[in-house]
Amino acid sequence: MRSRMGVLAAAGLGLCLTSCTQVTKTLKAANLGGDVDRVVAATEKVQSCDKLKVAPAIQEEYALGSALAIHWAQQGGGLMLTGTAEQGLNTYVNTVGRNLAMQSPRPELRWTFGVLKDERHFNALSAPAGYVFVTRGLLQGVDNEAQLAGVLAHEIAHVVLKHALNQYVSVKVSTCKGAAVAGAVVSTVASKVVGASRLDGRLDLDSDTELMGKMVEGTVEAFGKGNRRDEELAADALAVELMLSAGYDPGEYSRLLGQTSGGGGLMENHPSKEDRQKQISELVQARKEATDPLARLDVASLQRPALPAAFAIVGPGKKPTGVAKDAK
């Protein structure tokens, strides 16, 4: 019986990928007994999990973002905030980052930028609600402020485009569907996610540390699979717009990408650096040729500011060995 139920449940879940409503009607019409009734109930619960596919409330976003930010800081060896020199560097990175963020469609977020102590990796990471980090190793490979601005703008774009939040929503949906198929034998966390599917689809992470931990764990695991190619290119496209709005030369960001070795990034599904550079060039060229005088780009006005004296604390520069790995 247990084996039969498992096969039926698996079949029901598989068919639900195309049409849970049709599966339910078909099984009910077949009148095959109690086993099928239980499978029908499971398929209906699976279908209800789609109610979780809603944008998280801002409180939920801040809770998730702050927890992920703590995780990235721990993974990166902590923040460079010790002493006057490190604090000066942190202030500078925040000034550049917030200037770019104010050009974005989400200037109201409490944007926070930080430098991780990690010298081994050429990385930048972001989390929902406006948290952006760069590693010390990345800063060692930057030649001017425009290049730094390009990296920060790319991470800001991931936050604005809600790429990490989309991964988080997918985690909620998959957790709910797994619980629906498992039936009564589910964890407390899974049952809470299922409960949310019957309401507005949102979770109160702040009030439940266990729930918070599991959702962050799932999102980090999803992050390990990387962004899709189209998401990376979309982040670059918005980054170009933010840089232009702030007066920076996107060509410097392209040059930084060109200096990296290997493929387009540390994630296999990142687009190649050549594809990214091509898109940047095409976007800038389109602005140069715009028929609207207000949209037309004056290349001569673009800036490539030198790095400040505070930057000396990051140490000697070295050739980048990868492209920013994002927490989208």
Side-chain angles (χ1 to χ4, degrees):
M1 176 66 72
R2 200 170 293 170
S3 175
R4 180 185 175 196
M5 276 299 298
V7 171
L8 286 170
L13 179 58
L15 289 171
C16 268
L17 294 177
T18 54
S19 175
C20 275
T21 301
Q22 186 58 45
V23 170
T24 298
K25 289 180 178 178
T26 301
L27 291 174
K28 284 183 176 179
N31 193 26
L32 297 177
D35 285 350
V36 172
D37 288 340
R38 284 188 285 274
V39 173
V40 167
T43 59
E44 290 175 342
K45 289 180 181 178
V46 167
Q47 190 175 28
S48 73
C49 293
D50 287 335
K51 294 179 181 178
L52 293 168
K53 294 178 181 178
V54 295
I58 189 63
Q59 296 90 343
E60 190 175 356
E61 180 178 358
Y62 272 114
L64 176 69
S66 60
L68 281 172
I70 292 172
H71 176 80
W72 300 140
Q74 291 173 337
Q75 292 294 305
L79 293 169
M80 291 183 66
L81 283 173
T82 304
T84 303
E86 290 190 359
Q87 290 177 6
L89 176 66
N90 183 73
T91 297
Y92 168 69
V93 171
N94 269 273
T95 299
V96 174
R98 288 174 181 172
N99 179 33
L100 290 161
M102 292 307 103
Q103 318 300 319
S104 81
R106 301 192 73 190
E108 76 283 356
L109 293 178
R110 296 194 291 268
W111 290 94
T112 303
F113 300 81
V115 180
L116 302 175
K117 294 179 180 179
D118 183 1
E119 293 187 68
R120 297 186 302 112
H121 300 103
F122 185 87
N123 265 2
L125 307 109
S126 54
Y131 293 95
V132 175
F133 300 106
V134 291
T135 62
R136 184 172 186 164
L138 184 144
L139 295 186
Q140 290 173 342
V142 168
D143 293 333
N144 56 50
E145 188 175 296
Q147 292 185 358
L148 171 63
V151 173
L152 296 178
H154 180 88
E155 295 306 318
I156 290 169
H158 275 306
V159 175
V160 169
L161 297 173
K162 301 185 177 182
H163 291 155
L165 280 181
N166 292 338
Q167 291 182 336
Y168 166 66
V169 169
S170 296
V171 170
K172 289 203 293 186
V173 173
S174 62
T175 301
C176 179
K177 289 185 176 181
V181 173
V185 187
V186 296
S187 67
T188 303
V189 168
S191 65
K192 290 176 181 176
V193 176
V194 171
S197 72
R198 302 189 186 109
L199 300 173
D200 60 3
R202 293 168 175 170
L203 298 175
D204 184 2
L205 300 179
D206 281 321
S207 66
D208 193 322
T209 55
E210 182 185 14
L211 181 63
M212 168 83 83
K214 289 296 183 182
M215 290 298 101
V216 169
E217 181 182 325
T219 305
V220 169
E221 183 179 349
F223 159 73
K225 300 174 184 177
N227 282 322
R228 300 191 310 267
R229 171 187 168 85
D230 63 304
E231 290 176 329
E232 285 301 315
L233 291 175
D236 272 349
L238 180 53
V240 168
E241 292 302 314
L242 298 181
M243 292 183 72
L244 292 176
S245 294
Y248 292 111
D249 180 6
E252 287 300 307
Y253 177 46
S254 180
R255 189 165 72 86
L256 179 66
L257 294 177
Q259 292 173 354
T260 59
S261 61
L266 300 180
M267 300 296 188
E268 292 182 359
N269 59 343
H270 271 46
S272 69
K273 63 183 179 184
E274 290 80 13
D275 285 346
R276 298 177 75 178
Q277 288 177 304
K278 179 183 178 185
Q279 177 181 252
I280 292 170
S281 176
E282 290 174 346
L283 290 170
V284 172
Q285 187 63 31
R287 286 290 297 273
K288 288 166 62 177
E289 298 174 355
T291 56
D292 183 354
L294 296 178
R296 192 178 305 139
L297 176 64
D298 177 11
V299 178
S301 68
L302 298 178
Q303 301 296 310
R304 309 159 194 83
L307 297 169
F311 226 81
I313 193 173
V314 304
K318 57 186 178 182
K319 185 178 179 181
T321 56
V323 175
K325 179 175 72 174
D326 317 299
K328 330 11 147 212

